[in-house]
Amino acid sequence: MSDPILPVTRRALLGSSAASVAILTAGEAKAGNVAASAASIRMPVSLTVNGTERLLTLDPRTTLLDALREHLQLTGTKKGCDHGQCGACTVIVNGERINSCLSLAVQHAGDEVTTIEGLGTPDKLHPMQDAFVEHDGYQCGYCTPGQICSSVAMLKEIARGVPSHVTGDLDGEMRATDVEIRERMSGNICRCGAYSNIAAAIADVARG
Ligand code: FES
Ligand code: FES
């Protein structure tokens, strides 16, 4: 037996549409208010960046990457994917390399942050910067600040004996072999494909 067909009058249809619009509008207004109040929250954050204490007042949703680039004008650190996939935003925090796009600035209150600007200057390059120049470890240069920050911290990981996925003998001496360097740097993507020269530059520094 088929369902009875209910008559739908023009008045009833318009009435229910108006009610739906009213509900949606109220919901959107509420969501808008939540977003607006979230946007108006600011928090003080103190970071030590390249040896200097910096006090910022930030929306708590600000990433460390945006705090560095947009609030401190340290634009050496690059935004590639903004999703933790390319490594262009790598900085060193308390001696460890991190993807600054994946970390909120407020999580780093009191931390020591080193960016590419803090590693060396044009007059006094860091040995890794020198080696990248020497070995042509870049083409467009977009990934280079991240590659250099990452490699500086990576060699310290090896010196501390932190194993990687390809480390065979956990009890033996850990060395910066080509395989170790390539594995440990695999989170830093270079769209220009300067990998061979990057690895050569890092190996040069590792050899001291
Ligand atoms: S911008 Fe952070 S990993 Fe790509
Ligand atoms: S040098 Fe261009 S992306 Fe690496």
Side-chain angles (χ1 to χ4, degrees):
M1 200 170 116
S2 61
D3 291 335
I5 298 172
L6 298 175
V8 179
T9 64
R10 184 169 174 273
R11 183 184 297 274
L13 183 62
L14 288 176
S16 69
S17 300
S20 305
V21 168
I23 290 166
L24 278 176
T25 308
E28 282 162 11
K30 197 171 172 189
N33 287 343
V34 171
S37 64
S40 65
I41 295 172
R42 293 283 185 277
M43 288 180 68
V45 188
S46 171
L47 307 166
T48 301
V49 182
N50 299 330
T52 304
E53 191 177 354
R54 309 296 299 264
L55 187 59
L56 297 169
T57 304
L58 299 173
D59 182 316
R61 297 167 296 178
T62 307
T63 62
L64 179 59
L65 174 60
D66 285 342
L68 293 170
R69 287 181 56 85
E70 311 297 333
H71 295 264
L72 295 176
Q73 283 71 53
L74 291 169
T75 52
T77 307
K78 298 292 185 264
K79 183 181 281 190
C81 62
D82 211 16
H83 281 87
Q85 294 172 347
C86 72
C89 65
T90 306
V91 297
I92 304 170
V93 177
N94 297 337
E96 305 277 353
R97 51 186 174 154
I98 67 164
N99 288 336
S100 58
C101 71
L102 290 184
S103 202
L104 297 175
V106 292
Q107 293 175 280
H108 296 288
D111 284 355
E112 303 257 354
V113 182
T114 304
T115 68
I116 190 71
E117 291 91 344
L119 280 181
T121 63
D123 294 333
K124 193 170 186 303
L125 294 179
H126 183 282
M128 192 64 81
Q129 291 171 315
D130 219 3
F132 268 64
V133 173
E134 189 70 26
H135 288 273
D136 276 340
Y138 51 85
Q139 288 179 34
C140 76
Y142 198 80
C143 72
T144 312
Q147 300 277 4
I148 291 177
C149 285
S150 189
S151 54
V152 167
M154 181 274 289
L155 290 184
K156 289 185 177 158
E157 285 165 18
I158 293 180
R160 289 201 306 273
V162 178
S164 81
H165 185 61
V166 297
T167 306
D169 180 6
L170 296 182
D171 296 324
E173 187 194 356
M174 206 163 288
R175 291 189 307 112
T177 60
D178 193 52
V179 174
E180 283 281 359
I181 289 172
R182 285 172 183 266
E183 163 61 21
R184 290 171 190 263
M185 293 298 294
S186 59
N188 288 82
I189 307 302
C190 174
R191 283 172 292 184
C192 298
Y195 294 113
S196 304
N197 294 4
I198 291 170
I202 298 171
D204 215 5
V205 176
R207 281 193 296 268

